[in-house]
Amino acid sequence: MSAVESFLSAQEEQEIVLAIRQAERNTSGEIRVHIEATTAMNHYQRALEVFHKLKMFNTKQQNAILIYVAVEDHKFVIYGDKGINEVVPENFWDTTKEVIQAYFKQGNFKQGLVEGVLKAGEELKAHFPWQTDDEDELSNEISKG
Ligand code: CA
Ligand code: CA
């Protein structure tokens, strides 16, 4: 089994998808998770590349965020679109990062992603509240590289 396949069970993946759905009930922002084994690129640059590959810039308010994980590299990046960056302080994702890091350090990757997704939803809610005409603009399924 590859590192990516053994990172999360099918059941755990479903729990993360449910967390994304739950988080997106509070905010118009769109949250996606991408998991891959490793990259030769700078992790931030790679997250940006994945963001574009998944066409995540394609939201009305440019308020999508990607949680990118490189399993073998023990790295993750939270990348938010410019609609978010224009209205939030620079350290906006620090609390979400801390939540994820704490669980990852214990080897609890599923819970780290579930809690991270929910935290990101809460943070986004303040700036991008859910609206009655909200659409699920981006898939909630986990993407794998
Ligand atoms: Ca939405
Ligand atoms: Ca979505």
Side-chain angles (χ1 to χ4, degrees):
M1 221 187 316
S2 78
V4 172
E5 281 165 357
S6 58
F7 186 65
L8 298 168
S9 69
Q11 168 71 31
E12 288 174 332
E13 274 188 31
Q14 273 319 300
E15 283 182 54
I16 294 164
V17 172
L18 283 177
I20 293 173
R21 255 188 238 151
Q22 195 181 328
E24 289 186 1
R25 268 183 222 130
N26 289 317
T27 176
S28 60
E30 294 287 328
I31 303 167
R32 291 208 67 172
V33 174
H34 177 87
I35 296 167
E36 65 189 12
T38 184
T39 178
M41 288 172 77
N42 166 288
H43 290 94
Y44 183 83
Q45 290 302 325
R46 174 61 184 152
L48 179 58
E49 187 179 75
V50 170
F51 191 93
H52 278 89
K53 252 186 205 164
L54 295 173
K55 298 190 170 28
M56 289 185 65
F57 47 79
N58 207 358
T59 60
K60 241 184 285 174
Q61 298 185 79
Q62 297 190 294
N63 59 357
I65 79 148
L66 173 66
I67 301 176
Y68 165 87
V69 186
V71 177
E72 287 172 6
D73 303 340
H74 303 287
K75 294 275 184 202
F76 72 91
V77 174
I78 301 175
Y79 183 83
D81 205 353
K82 60 176 172 228
I84 301 170
N85 295 336
E86 276 165 10
V87 296
V88 304
E90 209 175 303
N91 58 356
F92 185 67
W93 296 119
D94 283 1
T95 48
T96 304
K97 271 184 210 157
E98 281 159 20
V99 166
I100 297 176
Q101 219 147 28
Y103 284 100
F104 276 22
K105 270 189 191 148
Q106 298 166 13
N108 195 343
F109 301 111
K110 185 269 290 180
Q111 207 57 29
L113 289 169
V114 165
E115 302 294 338
V117 162
L118 294 176
K119 187 75 193 165
E122 274 170 39
E123 298 285 340
L124 281 172
K125 181 182 172 179
H127 301 276
F128 300 97
W130 185 86
Q131 286 162 336
T132 47
D133 62 349
D134 184 77
E135 282 170 35
D136 189 12
E137 295 173 288
L138 300 176
S139 165
N140 304 325
E141 295 300 317
I142 293 174
S143 154
K144 289 179 196 164

